Amino acid sequence: MRKNILFSTTRQWNPGDEFILLGCINLLKELYPGFNPVIYNRNPAIRQEKYSNLNFFRNTFWERVSCKSKGLSDAFLRMGFFDNSFKDNTDASFLDLAVFAGSPEWYGYRNAKLYDVINRYNIPAVYLGIGLRADQQNLNLSELKAVEIQTLKNAKLIITRDTNLAKSLNAVNAVQMPCPALFSVSLGKEKEIKKVKKIGLIYGCPQASPCNNISRETYTFLISLYKQIIKQYSKEYEIGLVCHYIDEMPSAARDFPGMDISYSYDAKDYREIFSRFDLVIGHRIHGIGMSASLAIPGIALAHDLRADTLNGFKAKIINKNTSVQDIFNLIDKTTADIIDENELLKKHKQNAWEKYIALLKERLAQVK
């Protein structure tokens, strides 16, 4: 019988979450071909901030009313939400498995209803590639709610994408492995690179929405670096920009007039977008991750505490204190060794895939 699997993720918010989701889906297809994916959408436009329940028209009573009402008042008063995702009052008895698909947002207010559902319906749960938040160095279990701790203890499998969270969750047998974004492109669909012809630069700006923007300091460094890379390498390689978020587009066009800029509202399109390049440079962790899934080497700007995740993508890591000349040297070495780098990523992805699948098969063997 076809499985029904619920994924905690975001849609149309942070593309990185969707890259992780693509990887999780590819992994679980290996166990359950043809399953039905359902999403629990944490997009803040859907599941608002902690104190949004003080909004009279967003409280639980009116959300229940809105599910029954079909009139104008639903849309006018914005009761409940209407996207194609799991609702707070959806009957969850049809679900076979719940998956926390990566991200640092695997606990807290926007996941509260999901934890309630998992425990009320006794749904088996797995955590695949969860991480720490940008301002966290570790996590104390005492920071979590009782229902979150209980779900961790009952989980079939917990995989973290960074070292410190694995240590923090040692008591619940967490295992550290690369983020599932490494599998956002199906196994066997990697790019074969014999020579670097085109370099992709991932763009960012402060004007984008929270969780998609960067600080003014990081932006200043990034733009200066990109302009120097373009000046240094544009005669030898084609160079293009990649925007992940719509708010970046006007700024990118102003900062780099006439430059080739790639963007899509649909996260799946980035598999094709990044495949145009032979080397990718940027600050977006999961842009580097999807590139790695294509076996395209990445040079990543570490700008917060989540940089440990980049090790799972075999990225070359720089920071704002790295000199431009050192970055040029790194670009030169990576382009010179591109065949070896390309093959290394293919083997790394294959090995990580086999470990993931072995663990999933072992831990989910008894999930009916």
Side-chain angles (χ1 to χ4, degrees):
M1 185 176 294
R2 193 180 297 270
K3 300 290 186 186
N4 299 301
I5 302 179
L6 179 64
F7 295 88
S8 174
T9 186
T10 67
R11 289 283 283 176
Q12 295 298 299
W13 172 240
N14 186 332
D17 288 342
E18 299 191 53
F19 298 169
I20 298 167
L21 176 63
L22 290 171
C24 290
I25 287 174
N26 281 335
L27 285 164
L28 287 163
K29 280 181 179 177
E30 187 76 8
L31 277 72
Y32 309 117
F35 69 83
N36 296 322
V38 182
I39 65 164
Y40 177 96
N41 192 355
R42 301 188 320 268
N43 184 329
I46 301 296
R47 298 185 182 276
Q48 296 183 327
E49 297 297 336
K50 184 172 183 179
Y51 298 107
S52 64
N53 62 323
L54 297 179
N55 180 339
F56 180 72
F57 296 115
R58 291 287 294 168
N59 66 32
T60 303
F61 171 75
W62 283 109
E63 288 183 357
R64 288 173 181 166
V65 170
S66 72
C67 293
K68 298 177 181 178
S69 169
K70 302 298 181 185
L72 175 65
S73 62
D74 266 7
F76 180 71
L77 297 175
R78 195 173 177 264
M79 304 174 200
F81 54 89
F82 311 107
D83 76 320
N84 190 15
S85 71
F86 188 91
K87 310 298 189 296
D88 288 349
N89 63 349
T90 299
D91 179 356
S93 59
F94 72 102
L95 292 172
D96 299 295
L97 181 67
V99 178
F100 291 85
S103 168
E105 197 179 48
W106 52 271
Y107 65 98
Y109 183 76
R110 278 197 276 270
N111 273 304
K113 296 291 185 181
L114 177 57
Y115 277 97
D116 288 343
V117 164
I118 288 171
N119 284 272
R120 188 185 325 138
Y121 289 87
N122 197 28
I123 302 169
V126 295
Y127 296 76
L128 300 183
I130 59 175
L132 288 168
R133 294 175 178 171
D135 58 349
Q136 286 180 309
Q137 291 188 327
N138 52 56
L139 174 73
N140 192 314
L141 283 178
S142 64
E143 298 175 39
L144 304 181
K145 295 181 179 178
V147 68
E148 294 166 341
I149 296 172
Q150 190 59 48
T151 305
L152 284 168
K153 289 179 177 178
N154 292 339
K156 298 294 184 180
L157 177 63
I158 302 169
I159 295 177
T160 76
R161 68 193 196 194
D162 53 57
T163 307
N164 287 343
L165 183 57
K167 291 178 181 176
S168 298
L169 298 181
N170 181 61
V172 288
N173 302 313
V175 179
Q176 183 193 0
M177 294 180 70
C179 175
L182 184 62
F183 313 118
S184 53
V185 175
S186 298
L187 208 65
K189 299 292 185 180
E190 299 81 14
K191 183 176 183 178
E192 184 174 2
I193 307 174
K194 298 298 183 183
K195 182 181 179 180
V196 173
K197 298 177 182 178
K198 190 167 185 178
I199 296 175
L201 306 176
I202 303 176
Y203 182 84
C205 65
Q207 291 80 19
S209 297
C211 299
N212 287 290
N213 62 0
I214 54 176
S215 69
R216 176 64 58 177
E217 181 185 10
T218 299
Y219 166 76
T220 301
F221 176 88
L222 202 66
I223 299 308
S224 174
L225 173 62
Y226 285 177
K227 289 184 176 180
Q228 292 178 80
I229 287 174
I230 292 166
K231 182 179 179 180
Q232 178 77 7
Y233 293 102
S234 60
K235 292 181 180 179
E236 189 174 359
Y237 308 113
E238 289 184 65
I239 300 177
L241 289 181
V242 179
C243 292
H244 280 204
Y245 198 73
I246 183 60
D247 295 354
E248 297 166 346
M249 292 291 284
S251 179
R254 287 193 300 269
D255 286 337
F256 296 94
M259 193 91 175
D260 179 54
I261 302 173
S262 297
Y263 162 79
S264 176
Y265 75 95
D266 192 336
K268 293 194 297 295
D269 290 345
Y270 284 83
R271 294 182 289 200
E272 188 276 327
I273 288 172
F274 281 114
S275 72
R276 302 170 193 166
F277 304 105
D278 307 299
L279 171 65
V280 172
I281 302 169
H283 66 292
R284 286 264 195 179
I285 292 173
H286 292 101
I288 298 295
M290 181 171 275
S291 300
S293 189
L294 285 156
I296 298 169
I299 297 175
L301 172 63
H303 60 101
D304 61 37
L305 295 175
R306 296 172 296 174
D308 188 25
T309 301
L310 292 162
N311 293 318
F313 304 139
K314 295 295 182 184
K316 310 293 190 300
I317 300 176
I318 61 175
N319 58 50
K320 286 173 279 192
N321 295 319
T322 308
S323 72
V324 172
Q325 188 55 57
D326 284 345
I327 295 171
F328 286 173
N329 292 342
L330 189 55
I331 293 171
D332 292 340
K333 186 175 189 316
T334 305
T335 54
D337 297 339
I338 195 63
I339 295 175
D340 291 341
E341 295 283 350
N342 180 232
E343 289 301 317
L344 173 68
L345 279 168
K346 290 178 186 176
K347 291 177 183 176
H348 172 63
K349 179 180 173 182
Q350 177 71 45
N351 290 338
W353 172 271
E354 290 173 0
K355 291 177 181 177
Y356 258 92
I357 295 301
L359 272 173
L360 284 166
K361 285 183 175 179
E362 174 192 340
R363 303 296 178 84
L364 295 178
Q366 296 180 348
V367 174
K368 301 299 183 182

mmCIF file of all heavy atoms in Angstrom, residues 276-302:
data_model
loop_
_atom_site.group_PDB
_atom_site.id
_atom_site.type_symbol
_atom_site.label_atom_id
_atom_site.label_comp_id
_atom_site.label_asym_id
_atom_site.label_seq_id
_atom_site.Cartn_x
_atom_site.Cartn_y
_atom_site.Cartn_z
ATOM 1 N N ARG A 276 24.453 24.752 -14.959
ATOM 2 C CA ARG A 276 25.090 25.567 -16.000
ATOM 3 C C ARG A 276 26.537 25.907 -15.662
ATOM 4 O O ARG A 276 27.308 26.315 -16.534
ATOM 5 C CB ARG A 276 24.313 26.874 -16.199
ATOM 6 C CG ARG A 276 22.859 26.699 -16.582
ATOM 7 C CD ARG A 276 22.122 28.023 -16.504
ATOM 8 N NE ARG A 276 20.675 27.836 -16.573
ATOM 9 C CZ ARG A 276 19.789 28.776 -16.270
ATOM 10 N NH1 ARG A 276 20.208 29.976 -15.881
ATOM 11 N NH2 ARG A 276 18.492 28.527 -16.344
ATOM 12 N N PHE A 277 26.885 25.766 -14.380
ATOM 13 C CA PHE A 277 28.203 26.209 -13.916
ATOM 14 C C PHE A 277 29.129 25.023 -13.648
ATOM 15 O O PHE A 277 28.688 23.892 -13.469
ATOM 16 C CB PHE A 277 28.041 27.051 -12.655
ATOM 17 C CG PHE A 277 27.127 28.225 -12.830
ATOM 18 C CD1 PHE A 277 25.841 28.219 -12.289
ATOM 19 C CD2 PHE A 277 27.531 29.342 -13.541
ATOM 20 C CE1 PHE A 277 24.981 29.294 -12.457
ATOM 21 C CE2 PHE A 277 26.680 30.430 -13.713
ATOM 22 C CZ PHE A 277 25.403 30.401 -13.170
ATOM 23 N N ASP A 278 30.425 25.337 -13.604
ATOM 24 C CA ASP A 278 31.442 24.323 -13.311
ATOM 25 C C ASP A 278 32.122 24.595 -11.971
ATOM 26 O O ASP A 278 32.847 23.749 -11.454
ATOM 27 C CB ASP A 278 32.490 24.311 -14.428
ATOM 28 C CG ASP A 278 31.854 24.155 -15.795
ATOM 29 O OD1 ASP A 278 31.194 23.124 -16.022
ATOM 30 O OD2 ASP A 278 31.997 25.076 -16.628
ATOM 31 N N LEU A 279 31.896 25.764 -11.425
ATOM 32 C CA LEU A 279 32.387 26.158 -10.102
ATOM 33 C C LEU A 279 31.392 27.180 -9.560
ATOM 34 O O LEU A 279 30.945 28.062 -10.301
ATOM 35 C CB LEU A 279 33.787 26.781 -10.197
ATOM 36 C CG LEU A 279 34.351 27.429 -8.926
ATOM 37 C CD1 LEU A 279 34.564 26.386 -7.828
ATOM 38 C CD2 LEU A 279 35.662 28.154 -9.229
ATOM 39 N N VAL A 280 31.030 27.052 -8.283
ATOM 40 C CA VAL A 280 30.065 27.970 -7.674
ATOM 41 C C VAL A 280 30.694 28.612 -6.438
ATOM 42 O O VAL A 280 31.328 27.933 -5.622
ATOM 43 C CB VAL A 280 28.762 27.238 -7.292
ATOM 44 C CG1 VAL A 280 27.843 28.150 -6.492
ATOM 45 C CG2 VAL A 280 28.045 26.738 -8.552
ATOM 46 N N ILE A 281 30.521 29.907 -6.307
ATOM 47 C CA ILE A 281 31.078 30.673 -5.186
ATOM 48 C C ILE A 281 29.924 31.446 -4.533
ATOM 49 O O ILE A 281 29.103 32.046 -5.233
ATOM 50 C CB ILE A 281 32.148 31.665 -5.677
ATOM 51 C CG1 ILE A 281 33.279 30.911 -6.407
ATOM 52 C CG2 ILE A 281 32.721 32.475 -4.507
ATOM 53 C CD1 ILE A 281 34.254 31.832 -7.150
ATOM 54 N N GLY A 282 29.859 31.430 -3.197
ATOM 55 C CA GLY A 282 28.810 32.210 -2.563
ATOM 56 C C GLY A 282 28.611 31.920 -1.099
ATOM 57 O O GLY A 282 29.284 31.076 -0.510
ATOM 58 N N HIS A 283 27.621 32.617 -0.540
ATOM 59 C CA HIS A 283 27.358 32.571 0.899
ATOM 60 C C HIS A 283 26.206 31.638 1.252
ATOM 61 O O HIS A 283 26.021 31.311 2.418
ATOM 62 C CB HIS A 283 26.979 33.970 1.381
ATOM 63 C CG HIS A 283 25.679 34.449 0.811
ATOM 64 N ND1 HIS A 283 25.522 34.745 -0.526
ATOM 65 C CD2 HIS A 283 24.458 34.650 1.385
ATOM 66 C CE1 HIS A 283 24.280 35.117 -0.736
ATOM 67 N NE2 HIS A 283 23.610 35.066 0.391
ATOM 68 N N ARG A 284 25.397 31.245 0.276
ATOM 69 C CA ARG A 284 24.214 30.416 0.530
ATOM 70 C C ARG A 284 24.627 28.965 0.756
ATOM 71 O O ARG A 284 25.073 28.278 -0.176
ATOM 72 C CB ARG A 284 23.257 30.493 -0.650
ATOM 73 C CG ARG A 284 22.482 31.799 -0.752
ATOM 74 C CD ARG A 284 21.133 31.643 -0.117
ATOM 75 N NE ARG A 284 20.219 32.731 -0.483
ATOM 76 C CZ ARG A 284 18.974 32.794 -0.069
ATOM 77 N NH1 ARG A 284 18.485 31.849 0.705
ATOM 78 N NH2 ARG A 284 18.198 33.799 -0.413
ATOM 79 N N ILE A 285 24.451 28.499 1.982
ATOM 80 C CA ILE A 285 24.893 27.144 2.337
ATOM 81 C C ILE A 285 24.283 26.109 1.405
ATOM 82 O O ILE A 285 24.985 25.227 0.883
ATOM 83 C CB ILE A 285 24.525 26.827 3.803
ATOM 84 C CG1 ILE A 285 25.354 27.688 4.757
ATOM 85 C CG2 ILE A 285 24.742 25.337 4.109
ATOM 86 C CD1 ILE A 285 24.944 27.556 6.216
ATOM 87 N N HIS A 286 22.988 26.219 1.172
ATOM 88 C CA HIS A 286 22.335 25.154 0.417
ATOM 89 C C HIS A 286 22.389 25.361 -1.093
ATOM 90 O O HIS A 286 22.129 24.430 -1.852
ATOM 91 C CB HIS A 286 20.910 24.956 0.943
ATOM 92 C CG HIS A 286 20.934 24.402 2.328
ATOM 93 N ND1 HIS A 286 20.739 25.186 3.445
ATOM 94 C CD2 HIS A 286 21.202 23.155 2.792
ATOM 95 C CE1 HIS A 286 20.867 24.446 4.532
ATOM 96 N NE2 HIS A 286 21.151 23.212 4.161
ATOM 97 N N GLY A 287 22.790 26.553 -1.530
ATOM 98 C CA GLY A 287 23.178 26.713 -2.928
ATOM 99 C C GLY A 287 24.460 25.946 -3.188
ATOM 100 O O GLY A 287 24.604 25.249 -4.197
ATOM 101 N N ILE A 288 25.402 26.049 -2.252
ATOM 102 C CA ILE A 288 26.628 25.251 -2.326
ATOM 103 C C ILE A 288 26.275 23.767 -2.227
ATOM 104 O O ILE A 288 26.875 22.921 -2.897
ATOM 105 C CB ILE A 288 27.602 25.651 -1.196
ATOM 106 C CG1 ILE A 288 28.030 27.118 -1.347
ATOM 107 C CG2 ILE A 288 28.820 24.730 -1.176
ATOM 108 C CD1 ILE A 288 28.837 27.444 -2.580
ATOM 109 N N GLY A 289 25.255 23.440 -1.415
ATOM 110 C CA GLY A 289 24.840 22.050 -1.246
ATOM 111 C C GLY A 289 24.254 21.456 -2.511
ATOM 112 O O GLY A 289 24.575 20.322 -2.881
ATOM 113 N N MET A 290 23.373 22.205 -3.185
ATOM 114 C CA MET A 290 22.817 21.684 -4.430
ATOM 115 C C MET A 290 23.902 21.566 -5.496
ATOM 116 O O MET A 290 23.907 20.621 -6.292
ATOM 117 C CB MET A 290 21.674 22.552 -4.937
ATOM 118 C CG MET A 290 21.060 22.005 -6.217
ATOM 119 S SD MET A 290 19.549 22.818 -6.751
ATOM 120 C CE MET A 290 18.327 21.921 -5.775
ATOM 121 N N SER A 291 24.839 22.512 -5.514
ATOM 122 C CA SER A 291 25.966 22.404 -6.440
ATOM 123 C C SER A 291 26.759 21.125 -6.173
ATOM 124 O O SER A 291 27.124 20.400 -7.105
ATOM 125 C CB SER A 291 26.879 23.628 -6.294
ATOM 126 O OG SER A 291 26.177 24.817 -6.583
ATOM 127 N N ALA A 292 27.005 20.840 -4.896
ATOM 128 C CA ALA A 292 27.721 19.618 -4.537
ATOM 129 C C ALA A 292 26.946 18.382 -4.979
ATOM 130 O O ALA A 292 27.530 17.373 -5.385
ATOM 131 C CB ALA A 292 27.972 19.577 -3.032
ATOM 132 N N SER A 293 25.611 18.450 -4.904
ATOM 133 C CA SER A 293 24.786 17.333 -5.348
ATOM 134 C C SER A 293 24.963 17.077 -6.837
ATOM 135 O O SER A 293 24.828 15.949 -7.315
ATOM 136 C CB SER A 293 23.312 17.607 -5.031
ATOM 137 O OG SER A 293 22.532 16.467 -5.271
ATOM 138 N N LEU A 294 25.290 18.129 -7.588
ATOM 139 C CA LEU A 294 25.591 18.009 -9.010
ATOM 140 C C LEU A 294 27.059 17.681 -9.254
ATOM 141 O O LEU A 294 27.488 17.584 -10.408
ATOM 142 C CB LEU A 294 25.243 19.319 -9.715
ATOM 143 C CG LEU A 294 23.752 19.591 -9.934
ATOM 144 C CD1 LEU A 294 23.484 21.084 -10.077
ATOM 145 C CD2 LEU A 294 23.251 18.838 -11.153
ATOM 146 N N ALA A 295 27.836 17.536 -8.158
ATOM 147 C CA ALA A 295 29.291 17.294 -8.216
ATOM 148 C C ALA A 295 30.040 18.509 -8.754
ATOM 149 O O ALA A 295 31.111 18.383 -9.350
ATOM 150 C CB ALA A 295 29.624 16.043 -9.026
ATOM 151 N N ILE A 296 29.480 19.687 -8.504
ATOM 152 C CA ILE A 296 30.129 20.940 -8.872
ATOM 153 C C ILE A 296 30.786 21.513 -7.623
ATOM 154 O O ILE A 296 30.109 21.761 -6.622
ATOM 155 C CB ILE A 296 29.102 21.947 -9.422
ATOM 156 C CG1 ILE A 296 28.442 21.395 -10.682
ATOM 157 C CG2 ILE A 296 29.760 23.296 -9.707
ATOM 158 C CD1 ILE A 296 27.228 22.194 -11.134
ATOM 159 N N PRO A 297 32.097 21.729 -7.632
ATOM 160 C CA PRO A 297 32.791 22.235 -6.447
ATOM 161 C C PRO A 297 32.287 23.623 -6.039
ATOM 162 O O PRO A 297 31.885 24.433 -6.882
ATOM 163 C CB PRO A 297 34.258 22.300 -6.887
ATOM 164 C CG PRO A 297 34.356 21.350 -8.032
ATOM 165 C CD PRO A 297 33.032 21.411 -8.727
ATOM 166 N N GLY A 298 32.338 23.877 -4.729
ATOM 167 C CA GLY A 298 31.898 25.158 -4.204
ATOM 168 C C GLY A 298 32.949 25.816 -3.340
ATOM 169 O O GLY A 298 33.678 25.149 -2.596
ATOM 170 N N ILE A 299 33.043 27.132 -3.450
ATOM 171 C CA ILE A 299 33.839 27.955 -2.543
ATOM 172 C C ILE A 299 32.841 28.791 -1.757
ATOM 173 O O ILE A 299 32.097 29.589 -2.332
ATOM 174 C CB ILE A 299 34.835 28.849 -3.301
ATOM 175 C CG1 ILE A 299 35.851 27.979 -4.054
ATOM 176 C CG2 ILE A 299 35.542 29.805 -2.341
ATOM 177 C CD1 ILE A 299 36.802 28.766 -4.939
ATOM 178 N N ALA A 300 32.791 28.580 -0.445
ATOM 179 C CA ALA A 300 31.706 29.123 0.369
ATOM 180 C C ALA A 300 32.202 30.194 1.330
ATOM 181 O O ALA A 300 33.202 30.000 2.024
ATOM 182 C CB ALA A 300 31.035 28.003 1.150
ATOM 183 N N LEU A 301 31.461 31.295 1.366
ATOM 184 C CA LEU A 301 31.735 32.355 2.336
ATOM 185 C C LEU A 301 30.997 32.031 3.633
ATOM 186 O O LEU A 301 29.766 32.036 3.676
ATOM 187 C CB LEU A 301 31.265 33.714 1.796
ATOM 188 C CG LEU A 301 31.320 34.869 2.794
ATOM 189 C CD1 LEU A 301 32.759 35.145 3.229
ATOM 190 C CD2 LEU A 301 30.678 36.128 2.198
ATOM 191 N N ALA A 302 31.747 31.737 4.685
ATOM 192 C CA ALA A 302 31.152 31.461 5.997
ATOM 193 C C ALA A 302 30.869 32.795 6.683
ATOM 194 O O ALA A 302 31.787 33.549 6.978
ATOM 195 C CB ALA A 302 32.108 30.619 6.833
#
